Amino acid sequence: EIAKINSALPENFSVNSIIDFLQKTSSADGLIFKSIDFANPSKLKENSNINFSNISLGVSGSYPAFKNFLLDLEKSARIIDVEKISFSAQNQKEKDKYNFGLELKVYSY
């Protein structure tokens, strides 16, 4: 049980582990990982031990692949909140391909 809690709310925020998780998950769902940008971790509340970091993520692919990616984020052991989603068409020739932008909040202890 403690291992589940540790994976949901790790003690230290590791940029490498979250990048690895997001790259592997997006690739497994058929998306192309385009960009990622991190903000420095901040305290959730003034007297809290819980930290969070905002992440901007860019991926591209089909809508069904993106939908599966969102479901995988929701099912993951890590606590990840999707704060914002944006999308745009890639070009006229590939009507089923989109660029997706996400703003995520990832928590650590």
Side-chain angles (χ1 to χ4, degrees):
E1 295 298 317
I2 291 177
K4 287 182 185 179
I5 294 170
N6 285 338
S7 66
L9 198 61
E11 282 190 42
N12 297 314
F13 178 76
S14 170
V15 172
N16 292 337
S17 69
I18 195 69
I19 288 174
D20 185 55
F21 169 74
L22 293 171
Q23 279 183 322
K24 285 181 180 176
T25 305
S26 63
S27 177
D29 289 325
L31 295 172
I32 298 169
F33 191 86
K34 293 235 166 188
S35 64
I36 192 163
D37 198 19
F38 287 89
N40 289 331
S42 304
K43 291 279 185 200
L44 188 60
K45 293 182 181 176
E46 189 174 319
N47 295 328
S48 175
N49 289 332
I50 299 175
N51 300 311
F52 71 91
S53 185
N54 291 316
I55 299 171
S56 296
L57 175 68
V59 294
S60 66
S62 68
Y63 174 75
F66 182 69
K67 184 178 171 184
N68 288 335
F69 177 66
L70 289 177
L71 289 171
D72 286 342
L73 288 182
E74 184 178 329
K75 291 188 286 185
S76 85
R78 282 205 72 144
I79 299 175
I80 301 173
D81 289 336
V82 177
E83 299 282 311
K84 188 176 183 180
I85 298 173
S86 62
F87 69 96
S88 62
Q90 277 190 344
N91 58 46
Q92 294 294 336
K93 293 179 184 176
E94 297 181 274
K95 295 186 188 266
D96 63 338
K97 301 290 182 198
Y98 301 94
N99 293 316
F100 298 96
L102 292 105
E103 290 185 21
L104 307 173
K105 190 176 281 189
V106 180
Y107 298 88
S108 60
Y109 187 69

